[in-house]
Amino acid sequence: MMSQNHLGSLPIYKKAIELSTLSRELGSFVCYNKNILSLYQSDSLRDHIADSLITDATLIPQQIARAETSNSVEDRMKSATFIGIMLRNINSYCNGLEQDGLREKEYLNLLRREIRIFRRSFKIWRKSIAKYGHKKETWHFREYLG
């Protein structure tokens, strides 16, 4: 288990922060620098996609922190599963922005590339967090949802 203070030195956490920052910058760009805190109130599909992109990318470092500071293998694996879902969502948001007519595809491709790089590190990290713990715990995704 890692203390909250040492998260900044964890490579996967640094990558997650970079992914979150890039997502925020892309979201801000595609919404013409509107206040990102009010995007969910917009009538624009693009604003809603950008809001979801920013939200999900922000959740990834939070889930890494949760996993790294937990004593429970079950909680760590739930966080890893949740991160996997967020990564798939972010790819879907890129597709949605493309379908909405975003012309600057190079920005979407940059984010997709960062997701691929992050995913490689994520797979290694996910295996490492599963090794912690003394007893075998089982859980089901439905339990995590509520």
Side-chain angles (χ1 to χ4, degrees):
M1 184 175 88
M2 181 170 282
S3 76
Q4 194 78 29
N5 297 346
H6 293 97
L7 278 171
S9 64
L10 190 65
I12 189 76
Y13 188 77
K14 288 179 186 177
K15 280 272 178 216
I17 294 294
E18 290 171 14
L19 189 62
S20 178
T21 301
L22 182 59
S23 296
R24 209 170 32 254
E25 290 169 357
L26 177 64
S28 180
F29 172 77
V30 302
C31 294
Y32 310 106
N33 295 316
K34 290 179 189 163
N35 179 352
I36 61 172
L37 297 176
S38 63
L39 290 178
Y40 72 95
Q41 297 171 329
S42 172
D43 291 331
S44 162
L45 174 62
R46 187 173 292 190
D47 289 352
H48 283 275
I49 294 170
D51 180 53
S52 297
L53 170 71
I54 293 165
T55 300
D56 285 9
T58 302
L59 290 172
I60 293 172
Q62 291 173 10
Q63 289 296 317
I64 292 170
R66 179 179 173 183
E68 285 292 335
T69 56
S70 174
N71 287 319
S72 167
V73 173
E74 183 178 346
D75 285 346
R76 287 193 294 272
M77 294 314 295
K78 285 178 186 178
S79 290
T81 299
F82 192 66
I83 291 167
I85 292 167
M86 297 301 103
L87 291 172
R88 284 192 300 276
N89 287 353
I90 293 169
N91 271 323
S92 294
Y93 303 142
C94 287
N95 295 340
L97 289 169
E98 203 165 18
Q99 290 172 358
D100 191 52
L102 183 69
R103 292 184 186 173
E104 296 83 5
K105 290 186 177 43
E106 64 272 16
Y107 295 131
L108 295 175
N109 291 334
L110 177 63
L111 182 56
R112 288 175 176 135
R113 180 178 170 274
E114 287 304 311
I115 292 167
R116 282 192 302 276
I117 292 168
F118 178 84
R119 197 179 291 276
R120 279 186 228 125
S121 301
F122 171 66
K123 287 178 181 177
I124 296 166
W125 174 78
R126 187 178 57 206
K127 287 178 186 171
S128 76
I129 64 167
K131 292 178 184 174
Y132 301 133
H134 304 292
K135 65 177 184 136
K136 182 174 170 68
E137 299 180 50
T138 59
W139 63 278
H140 302 283
F141 184 65
R142 278 186 227 114
E143 294 169 3
Y144 187 63
L145 293 176

